[in-house]
């Protein structure tokens, strides 16, 4: 009897599977990632191995070894490394001072709020701000010249140069480092410091053997993330230096959109090389972050 009732039950009476709300919530992000990240990346990768007729070729990758393109990669890597290392060091000190430096309570939320805004401030507005501040007729330049008699451009400084671009990148690199490393510093347990003090460890020994090794993966991972962030930047560099500094992102723009150096498939190959470099950097960041999270749980 029970078997016959089960066999005659209508499909409408059967329980319908429910879609978890978590899946519904993450669907817009997945659609956005597929449309604006995964598919464009695949398009660039495929185009790097095609000629103008759409046939398979390795010639585009071979052109990456020409002196001009190699030089642009090298300049971009040097700017990215310089801004990442300086930004990571300065940002780590600021984050430590804000989180556990014994400062007034209002300073920490102020620093974190400013960091959240400044880390997203880039492109043409940032370039204009630095030109208005440290350009040849900038506010700070004229102030130093009129008040202290110091002409920074006569001393060798040039905003439209390697160190000028690095200094500009630090405006968003330092706040980004503060946002990334502050949670790791917060994860350092006070009990570790107290135990080290009870056992007679000095401040240097505590940082050398306890806090330093715990924070090192987070610090290195954040530095790699800053490197990738600077390596892919174009709007700030293009608005600030134009074509006077041959970084790889400006060369890529010239190959895809330019009138003189137009070679779309070579541009795809240059973009492919950038994807490889930033991909390796982000992969190392993820691995280091997983290790640091294991320590800080």
């Amino acid at each position: 009897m029970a078997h016959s009732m089960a066999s005659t039950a209508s499909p409408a009476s059967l329980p319908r599977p429910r879609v978890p709300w978590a899946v519904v919530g993450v669907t817009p992000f997945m659609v956005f990632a597929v449309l604006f990240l995964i598919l464009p990346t695949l398009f660039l990768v495929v185009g790097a191995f095609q000629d103008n007729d759409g046939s398979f070729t390795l010639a585009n990758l071979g052109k990456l070894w020409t002196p001009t393109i190699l030089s642009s990669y090298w300049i971009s890597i040097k700017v990215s490394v310089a801004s990442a290392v300086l930004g990571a060091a300065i940002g780590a000190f600021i984050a430590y001072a804000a989180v556990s430096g014994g400062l007034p309570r209002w300073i920490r939320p102020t620093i974190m709020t400013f960091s959240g805004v400044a880390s997203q401030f880039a492109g043409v507005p940032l370039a204009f701000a630095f030109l208005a501040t440290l350009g040849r007729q900038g506010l700070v330049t004229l102030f130093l010249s009129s008040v202290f008699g110091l002409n920074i451009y006569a001393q060798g400084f040039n905003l439209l140069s390697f160190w000028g671009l690095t200094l500009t990148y630090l405006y968003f690199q330092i706040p980004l480092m503060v946002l990334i490393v502050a949670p790791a510093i917060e994860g350092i347990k006070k009990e570790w410091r107290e135990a080290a003090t009870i056992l007679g460890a000095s401040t240097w020994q505590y940082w050398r053997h306890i806090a330093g090794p715990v924070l090192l993966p987070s610090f290195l991972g954040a530095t790699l993330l800053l490197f990738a962030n600077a390596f892919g930047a174009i709007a700030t560099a293009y608005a600030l230096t134009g074509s006077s500094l041959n970084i790889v992102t400006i060369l890529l723009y010239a190959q895809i959109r330019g009138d003189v150096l137009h070679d779309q498939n070579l541009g795809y190959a240059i973009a492919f090389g950038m994807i490889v470099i930033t991909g390796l950097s982000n992969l190392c960041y993820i691995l280091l972050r997983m290790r640091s999270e294991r320590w800080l749980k």
Side-chain angles (χ1 to χ4, degrees), residues 3 11 13 20 26 50 64 85 99 130 132 136 139 167 180 184 212-213 216-217 219-220 248 251 296:
H3 176 73
S13 62
V26 79
Q50 291 180 333
L64 296 182
V85 172
V99 172
F130 269 81
R136 290 188 177 274
L139 179 64
L167 178 63
I180 297 173
L216 183 61
F219 180 83
L220 293 178
V248 67
L251 182 62
L296 295 173

Side-chain angles (χ1 to χ4, degrees), residues 23 26 36 38 40 44 96 138 149 152 183 185 192 216 221 242-243 245 292:
V23 176
V26 79
F36 297 98
I38 297 177
L44 291 174
Y96 178 78
I152 58 176
I185 296 176
W192 298 349
L216 183 61
S243 58
L245 194 62
S292 65

Side-chain angles (χ1 to χ4, degrees), residues 222-239:
T223 305
L224 288 171
L225 189 62
L226 263 61
F227 169 84
N229 186 48
F231 189 76
I234 178 174
T236 301
Y238 188 79

Side-chain angles (χ1 to χ4, degrees), residues 75-91 162-177 222-223 225-233:
I75 293 174
S76 293
I77 290 174
K78 289 194 297 183
V79 171
S80 301
V81 169
S83 64
V85 172
L86 291 175
I90 299 173
F162 171 85
W163 286 111
L165 184 60
T166 300
L167 178 63
T168 306
Y169 278 5
L170 287 179
Y171 185 88
F172 56 80
Q173 294 282 65
I174 293 174
L176 182 60
M177 182 63 180
T223 305
L225 189 62
L226 263 61
F227 169 84
N229 186 48
F231 189 76

Side-chain angles (χ1 to χ4, degrees), residues 286-297:
I286 293 173
L287 295 176
L288 289 169
R289 181 176 179 179
M290 292 172 59
R291 181 175 180 179
S292 65
E293 288 178 347
R294 185 176 70 244
W295 275 101
L296 295 173
K297 283 183 178 180

Side-chain angles (χ1 to χ4, degrees), residues 93-115:
F93 279 112
I94 294 176
Y96 178 78
V99 172
S100 57
L103 300 175
R105 293 183 178 180
W106 62 269
I107 293 182
R108 177 180 172 180
T110 302
I111 292 177
M112 301 306 292
T113 301
F114 172 79
S115 298

Side-chain angles (χ1 to χ4, degrees), residues 84-266:
V85 172
L86 291 175
I90 299 173
F93 279 112
I94 294 176
Y96 178 78
V99 172
S100 57
L103 300 175
R105 293 183 178 180
W106 62 269
I107 293 182
R108 177 180 172 180
T110 302
I111 292 177
M112 301 306 292
T113 301
F114 172 79
S115 298
V117 175
S119 62
Q120 303 299 319
F121 185 69
V124 177
L126 179 61
F128 174 78
F130 269 81
L131 286 172
T133 304
L134 290 172
R136 290 188 177 274
Q137 299 298 321
L139 179 64
V140 174
T141 305
L142 296 178
F143 175 80
L144 293 176
S145 177
S146 60
V147 176
F148 300 99
L150 175 62
N151 188 339
I152 58 176
Y153 280 84
Q155 301 298 321
F157 175 80
N158 186 2
L159 186 62
L160 310 182
S161 64
F162 171 85
W163 286 111
L165 184 60
T166 300
L167 178 63
T168 306
Y169 278 5
L170 287 179
Y171 185 88
F172 56 80
Q173 294 282 65
I174 293 174
L176 182 60
M177 182 63 180
V178 172
L179 294 176
I180 297 173
V181 81
I185 296 176
E186 287 181 326
I188 297 295
K189 296 179 175 59
K190 296 181 179 180
E191 292 81 359
W192 298 349
R193 183 64 178 265
E194 295 173 355
T197 302
I198 292 173
L199 294 175
S202 63
T203 301
W204 164 249
Q205 290 173 327
Y206 166 74
W207 281 101
R208 171 66 178 83
H209 298 287
I210 301 175
V214 173
L215 288 177
L216 183 61
S218 297
F219 180 83
L220 293 178
T223 305
L224 288 171
L225 189 62
L226 263 61
F227 169 84
N229 186 48
F231 189 76
I234 178 174
T236 301
Y238 188 79
L240 184 68
T241 65
S243 58
S244 62
L245 194 62
N246 184 36
I247 66 174
V248 67
T249 49
I250 294 179
L251 182 62
L252 170 62
Y253 181 83
Q255 293 291 346
I256 294 180
R257 297 293 184 183
D259 297 327
V260 178
L261 300 176
H262 181 70
D263 188 346
Q264 187 165 307
N265 292 103
L266 177 58

